[in-house]
Amino acid sequence: MPRLAVPLATLLLALPMAAYAACADPAQAVDEAAFVPVNGIEQWVTIKGRRCSNPVVLFVHGGPGNPLSPFADRLFAGWERDFTLVQWDQRGSGMTYGRKPPPEETPLTQHGT
């Protein structure tokens, strides 16, 4: 868990700034998706919400290999009214895995990714 603490803290600190930077007006909706460098690896992050001024909810899925982001619109669309939803495809999962898969000999486990 300590290995995750620094990258997660970095991402959490960057999220409000990223949501704010994407919006000229706090009442504006946000719908952004991009690869963001986290701990030396570009990782896929999406940011969605109806108002930039809403509080941020960061989804840290149970992975590896199983992000929530492909199902987010169906599962959490109603939340976008009250929150800014951030989906993070962590190392070894989803779009992040597609961009930079671990070496073939590396198992997809909590300790191998």
Side-chain angles (χ1 to χ4, degrees):
M1 184 69 166
R3 289 186 334 171
L4 180 62
V6 172
L8 183 57
T10 303
L11 184 64
L12 286 173
L13 291 172
L15 289 177
M17 291 183 283
Y20 180 75
C23 301
D25 176 2
Q28 178 182 340
V30 62
D31 187 354
E32 299 285 323
F35 285 98
V36 177
V38 178
N39 203 25
I41 292 182
E42 290 187 324
Q43 299 185 26
W44 185 250
V45 175
T46 62
I47 304 171
K48 285 186 169 188
R50 292 197 188 145
R51 292 180 53 91
C52 288
S53 61
N54 283 343
V56 173
V57 175
L58 171 63
F59 288 90
V60 181
H61 60 81
N66 189 18
L68 287 174
S69 54
F71 313 106
D73 288 341
R74 182 167 281 236
L75 294 171
F76 304 112
W79 292 25
E80 291 177 16
R81 184 184 71 238
D82 300 313
F83 301 97
T84 298
L85 305 178
V86 178
Q87 298 285 335
W88 172 25
D89 286 6
Q90 298 174 60
R91 180 188 307 237
S93 67
M95 296 284 286
T96 301
Y97 178 87
R99 180 77 165 241
K100 180 153 175 70
E104 217 171 289
E105 66 276 0
T106 304
L108 282 180
T109 66
Q110 289 179 328
H111 300 288
T113 60

